[in-house]
Amino acid sequence: MTHTLRELNAAVEELWPTRFAEDWDRPGLTVGDVDDEVRHIHLAVDPVTDTVDEAIELGADALLVHHPLLLRGITSVATDRYKGALVTRLIRARCGLIAAHTNADIVADGTSGVLAARLGLVDLRPIVTGEREGTGIGRVGTLPEPSTLGRLALSLAEILPATATGIRVSGGYDDPVSRIALCGGAGDSLLGEAVVLDADVYITSDLRHHPASESREQAVMSAGPALIDVSHWASEWLWLESAATHLRELLPHATVTVSEIRTDPWDFVVTQ
């Protein structure tokens, strides 16, 4: 017995309804014939050449990714452009492509929830509450036992897959931390949220110079969190196994695999 791409898409909608995605987001079914059979589902964070090649080489019938391939508007899918080349390769291989992005971020075991659980945080709640109970952007919680900023950063280095940029920290190594706010993926838009300002540290990715500098200066002057900046890809990769577990439950006749290819865009760093 096999499943179809239509059934896979329905399972994705059940787990992470696209109607709850951010307005700017473009999750959902991107490539594929809904009546095609699906025996093997492969999961990855990014729809890039390496993960598409991997899915096809594995004989996967569908690739479920976190980041939408067509997030920003395009005017061509010609094969001399990488998005067109990927779409063409997927169609020729009869491999469907589905994205679950902000609609997967907000659930209890979404990207932020999984990272919070791996850190052992308790008394969790979203930084920004969603439309449904228990959903929302980011998470804030408390460590089971007080720690220091340095030890927390070391814990993240053990939890997250290694990347060239590693873990960047703004704050004192021995500063005490207990209340933790975090957001998987790019989260500097949440720096001004009250629960983030009340936290001892805020963990996220893609912190830009000006928002990080302003947050640091405000923390020195009055109050505010220390900052930990981690790889965007690494912070969201942890979610894939949780997603795979759900898909195995809903689609028991399909093989579900998780890519371990590092699609963080940075290859090496030179420290000074």
Side-chain angles (χ1 to χ4, degrees):
M1 183 175 180
T2 61
H3 300 286
T4 64
L5 187 60
R6 188 193 310 277
E7 290 177 284
L8 171 57
N9 194 50
V12 172
E13 278 290 331
E14 180 180 337
L15 293 166
W16 313 290
T18 52
R19 68 181 181 277
F20 294 114
E22 295 291 311
D23 291 341
W24 52 264
D25 201 6
R26 297 294 181 269
L29 180 62
T30 306
V31 173
D33 183 333
V34 294
D35 293 320
D36 277 354
E37 291 185 342
V38 171
R39 298 181 177 87
H40 185 169
I41 306 161
H42 195 52
L43 274 62
V45 174
D46 296 299
V48 293
T49 302
D50 284 347
T51 54
V52 169
D53 285 350
E54 181 180 50
I56 293 171
E57 288 168 6
L58 288 172
D61 305 295
L63 176 62
L64 174 67
V65 293
H66 185 53
H67 294 141
L69 176 63
L70 305 182
L71 178 61
R72 294 175 177 84
I74 61 173
T75 58
S76 172
V77 289
T79 57
D80 62 347
R81 305 173 191 190
Y82 89 90
K83 291 187 178 182
L86 294 184
V87 168
T88 300
R89 286 214 65 198
L90 290 164
I91 290 173
R92 286 175 174 169
R94 300 191 76 87
C95 181
L97 178 67
I98 300 176
H101 194 206
T102 55
N103 48 319
D105 285 330
I106 62 175
V107 296
D109 56 355
T111 51
S112 295
V114 168
L115 180 55
R118 291 294 296 272
L119 286 170
L121 302 186
V122 296
D123 301 324
L124 286 174
R125 67 184 182 93
I127 293 174
V128 178
T129 304
E131 295 180 44
R132 296 171 294 162
E133 184 177 355
T135 69
I137 301 172
R139 290 296 181 272
V140 60
T142 304
L143 290 169
E145 296 181 0
S147 185
T148 66
L149 185 60
R151 288 201 298 269
L152 178 62
L154 289 172
S155 295
L156 282 166
E158 293 176 354
I159 291 168
L160 297 174
T163 59
T165 51
I167 312 294
R168 301 191 301 173
V169 185
S170 174
Y173 189 93
D174 293 318
D175 288 353
V177 295
S178 180
R179 189 71 170 163
I180 314 296
L182 60 85
C183 180
D188 63 16
S189 63
L190 303 178
L191 279 167
E193 294 292 331
V195 293
V196 172
L197 294 172
D198 288 339
D200 298 316
V201 59
Y202 179 47
I203 304 165
T204 191
S205 306
D206 299 343
L207 282 172
R208 295 170 295 160
H209 173 83
H210 293 295
S213 177
E214 291 173 7
S215 176
R216 179 184 179 120
E217 291 301 306
Q218 190 60 45
V220 171
M221 178 177 291
S222 55
L227 302 175
I228 297 181
D229 184 272
V230 302
S231 157
H232 189 130
W233 165 80
S235 73
E236 297 179 326
W237 181 82
L238 296 177
W239 167 76
L240 296 180
E241 193 54 54
S242 171
T245 297
H246 287 306
L247 290 174
R248 291 181 187 117
E249 292 171 352
L250 291 179
L251 303 169
H253 302 292
T255 298
V256 183
T257 53
V258 172
S259 176
E260 295 188 3
I261 294 176
R262 186 189 72 183
T263 54
D264 182 274
W266 304 107
D267 293 312
F268 64 90
V269 63
V270 177
T271 57
Q272 296 173 293

